[in-house]
Amino acid sequence: MIRASLAACTLALLAGGPLGAEEPRICQRELVVLGAGQDAGTPQIGNAQDDGPQLLASSLALIDRKAGARYLFDAYPQITGQLAALDRIEQPAEGLGLDGIFLTHAHIGHYLGLAYLGREAASANGVPVYAMPRMAKFLRENGPWSQLVELGQIELVALGDGKGLQAVSLAPDLVVVALPVPHRDELSEAVGYYIMPEDGGGALYLSDIDSWDEWSGPDGPVLATMLAGADHIFVDATFWDDNELPGRDMSEIPHPRVTETMDLLQHYPADMRSKVHFIHYNHTNPLRDPDSAESREVEARGFNVARRGERICLD
């Protein structure tokens, strides 16, 4: 069933142009890259002298103009700026204009922004927060997140039993599927999200994973299945290669390296490689600089680097 659904989502998407180009057409459903960096952004703590390109932690927004709804995928610590950027593209119907927040896992760049929904800031009312069971339990039982629940400022929506694929219907023709992935799970599960319109198109948001080899299903490597079925996949690009952190044992930080991912997918045809958008890059990753040799290499090899402000139509 899932394979059939993925196979149905193979229509090409219309991508928004680069910053400074003509405004993208107004589409009924649109993804916006609100941040593309690793959890700590830039300048990272202890690196105040860093004057390179600014990074905000990874996050996507989904604008559903058909339903008049807006959703966030991950709530990073700078959620104030996150929502301000979204408001400049699509004004909220009322209040915060948040119809749901999908959390991937309990590492700092992916959920700390929820704190700003509390009484000290937005004092929100019933914002749906979609999370896997352990993630929902963590928020419910630990402050300050528990206060958000107690005061009704967020409404936790646990996604199934934590095993296998979990689907949420946002509209009759729009489904979001949570895909469990291998990643450090001290506090919660980790998932990616597949945003799947019924009439074609689809996008995977997978900011963190330990290994492509570990992410396999009955039909083989899930990455290969997603590459065949989705039109855009935003994937973990924390580190460029194993030489990035001098003095650190990089084997203790198990993210697939960008070079490894490109080598793994290089045999696919160009139209499939072009679906890949590297996201969640660390402040040490040369991809943060659009003019770096590494950014040019990604482009030359047929892949993409996600950049804050990028907009992609899903219709």
Side-chain angles (χ1 to χ4, degrees):
M1 179 177 176
I2 293 297
R3 179 197 278 181
S5 298
L6 295 177
C9 295
T10 56
L11 295 180
L13 306 184
L14 293 174
L19 296 177
E22 292 183 5
E23 283 295 310
R25 72 177 179 87
I26 300 300
C27 43
Q28 291 302 297
R29 287 184 174 133
E30 179 178 11
L31 288 180
V32 182
V33 179
L34 296 177
Q38 183 266 356
D39 299 44
T42 61
Q44 277 210 15
I45 186 169
N47 290 273
Q49 75 284 356
D50 184 347
D51 60 357
Q54 184 189 30
L55 291 179
L56 299 181
S58 292
S59 174
L60 296 184
L62 169 64
I63 301 171
D64 183 357
R65 295 187 175 91
K66 293 176 68 174
R70 309 189 315 172
Y71 302 91
L72 296 183
F73 290 82
D74 281 336
Y76 59 52
Q78 305 94 338
I79 193 172
T80 302
Q82 185 181 26
L83 286 182
L86 182 57
D87 290 350
R88 287 192 290 271
I89 295 171
E90 184 73 15
Q91 283 289 324
E94 60 179 345
L96 292 178
L98 278 179
D99 296 276
I101 299 174
F102 288 83
L103 300 180
T104 57
H105 61 299
H107 290 161
I108 64 168
H110 303 268
Y111 79 101
L112 290 189
L114 291 180
Y116 287 86
L117 302 182
R119 56 168 46 155
E120 301 90 341
S123 194
N125 181 31
V127 175
V129 173
Y130 297 90
M132 296 296 278
R134 284 183 61 212
M135 180 85 227
K137 183 175 186 290
F138 171 77
L139 296 172
R140 189 179 295 112
E141 296 182 355
N142 294 276
W145 330 109
S146 56
Q147 186 177 73
L148 300 174
V149 178
E150 292 163 5
L151 296 179
Q153 292 163 332
I154 65 173
E155 178 183 340
L156 291 176
V157 183
L159 299 175
D161 59 5
K163 300 177 181 178
L165 306 180
Q166 308 294 332
V168 177
S169 179
L170 300 182
D173 59 348
L174 180 63
V175 173
V176 172
V177 181
L179 306 170
V181 299
H183 188 51
R184 289 190 298 114
D185 58 358
E186 311 95 327
L187 301 175
S188 78
E189 314 90 336
V191 296
Y193 287 106
Y194 182 41
I195 303 162
M196 187 166 61
E198 183 183 74
D199 57 356
L204 171 69
Y205 172 61
L206 176 52
S207 61
D208 278 280
I209 191 169
D210 283 351
S211 164
W212 297 128
D213 289 339
E214 295 178 58
W215 196 37
S216 294
D219 299 322
V222 181
L223 180 63
T225 303
M226 295 305 303
L227 192 64
D231 290 321
H232 288 266
I233 62 173
F234 293 83
V235 296
D236 186 343
T238 305
F239 299 113
W240 172 256
D241 62 20
D242 283 334
N243 302 311
E244 199 164 313
L245 299 178
R248 292 282 300 274
D249 181 356
M250 295 288 286
S251 67
E252 295 179 354
I253 317 175
H255 293 268
R257 310 314 188 221
V258 174
T259 52
E260 172 194 344
T261 302
M262 289 194 295
D263 289 346
L264 181 68
L265 302 178
Q266 197 63 54
H267 68 283
Y268 284 93
D271 62 341
M272 296 185 73
R273 297 196 306 275
S274 67
K275 298 177 180 184
V276 176
H277 303 254
F278 288 111
I279 199 167
H280 194 270
Y281 31 94
N282 195 49
H283 71 115
T284 56
N285 192 325
L287 291 187
R288 69 182 280 201
D289 180 359
D291 296 323
S292 69
E294 290 81 1
S295 291
R296 293 194 296 270
E297 179 180 340
V298 168
E299 181 179 355
R301 295 180 66 173
F303 303 96
N304 305 282
V305 180
R307 304 290 181 193
R308 180 159 49 102
E310 181 181 359
R311 298 168 64 177
I312 295 174
C313 281
L314 291 182
D315 54 18

